[in-house]
């Protein structure tokens, strides 16, 4: 009997990852706003942007608290993610441009991925374009691998 209980306990410990809930979501750009340093707001959407915006794809594992962004030919592990009941949030300052800060949030209730670019006074968008920040909204839906 002790051996049976030991085997069961060991299998539960080793098999914990088999119950990990992994979800893949695809987020498609819908619209956004640019906020000028003078307080103006410019709205934009798919038909008014001058450049194509590709879909955002994420692999979320709630149990492991891991978030992976899936790009063509690579997967990027996102570090320093904040998990709450309402949202999954993370922040990025790219190495190549210290004058821009990105905040990302996936709302767990309405399924919208929102990312915001905030521009420092030294950034081109702030100095020349007079833009303080830009935000994009992408409704998400769950999906599965097809093959």
């Amino acid at each position: 009997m002790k051996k049976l209980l030991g085997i069961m306990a060991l299998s539960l410990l080793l098999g914990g990852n088999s119950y990990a809930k992994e979800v893949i979501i695809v987020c498609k750009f819908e619209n956004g706003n640019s906020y000028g340093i003078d307080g103006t707001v410019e709205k934009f959407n798919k038909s008014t942007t001058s450049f194509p915006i590709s879909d955002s794809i994420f692999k979320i594992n709630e149990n492991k608290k891991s978030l992976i962004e899936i790009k063509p030919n690579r997967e990027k592990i996102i570090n320093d993610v904040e998990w709450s009941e309402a949202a999954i949030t993370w922040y990025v300052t790219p190495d190549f441009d210290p004058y821009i800060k990105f905040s990302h949030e996936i709302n767990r209730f309405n399924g919208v991925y929102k990312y915001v670019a905030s521009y420092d006074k030294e950034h081109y968008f702030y100095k020349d374009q007079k833009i303080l920040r830009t935000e994009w909204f992408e409704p998400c839906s769950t999906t599965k691998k097809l093959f």
Side-chain angles (χ1 to χ4, degrees):
M1 185 66 173
K2 286 183 182 181
K3 285 183 181 180
L4 181 61
L5 287 174
I7 291 171
M8 286 176 53
L10 187 60
S11 66
L12 286 173
L13 285 173
L14 296 176
N17 287 341
S18 64
Y19 296 104
K21 184 178 180 188
E22 191 168 88
V23 176
I24 297 174
I25 61 171
V26 176
C27 308
K28 297 181 178 291
F29 170 71
E30 191 170 271
N31 58 47
N33 302 309
S34 286
Y35 297 89
I37 59 175
D38 61 356
T40 58
V41 179
E42 182 182 330
K43 297 184 179 298
F44 57 93
N45 58 41
K46 287 185 264 190
S47 62
T48 60
T49 57
S50 58
F51 53 91
I53 298 176
S54 59
D55 296 347
S56 301
I57 304 171
F58 298 99
K59 188 186 312 181
I60 302 168
N61 189 311
E62 176 71 27
N63 294 346
K64 292 181 180 179
K65 300 289 189 228
S66 71
L67 179 64
I68 298 172
E69 184 177 16
I70 301 171
K71 298 260 185 188
N73 301 323
R74 69 181 175 95
E75 292 186 354
K76 178 184 172 192
I77 298 171
I78 299 172
N79 297 310
D80 301 322
V81 178
E82 298 172 12
W83 298 79
S84 74
E85 287 297 313
I88 301 169
T89 310
W90 67 100
Y91 305 92
V92 177
T93 300
D95 295 333
F96 61 87
D97 190 350
Y99 301 117
I100 187 171
K101 292 179 177 38
F102 291 100
S103 66
H104 302 261
E105 177 185 280
I106 301 171
N107 186 304
R108 299 175 85 172
F109 291 108
N110 66 14
V112 173
Y113 169 45
K114 172 185 170 183
Y115 58 102
V116 178
S118 300
Y119 309 108
D120 186 88
K121 291 179 181 178
E122 296 299 317
H123 194 275
Y124 162 79
F125 282 173
Y126 188 96
K127 290 191 319 189
D128 296 341
Q129 306 268 332
K130 307 296 186 213
I131 299 173
L132 182 62
R133 78 176 192 275
T134 306
E135 57 189 19
W136 295 262
F137 299 95
E138 299 185 3
C140 305
S141 58
T142 58
T143 188
K144 293 182 180 181
K145 289 182 187 177
L146 296 178
F147 48 90

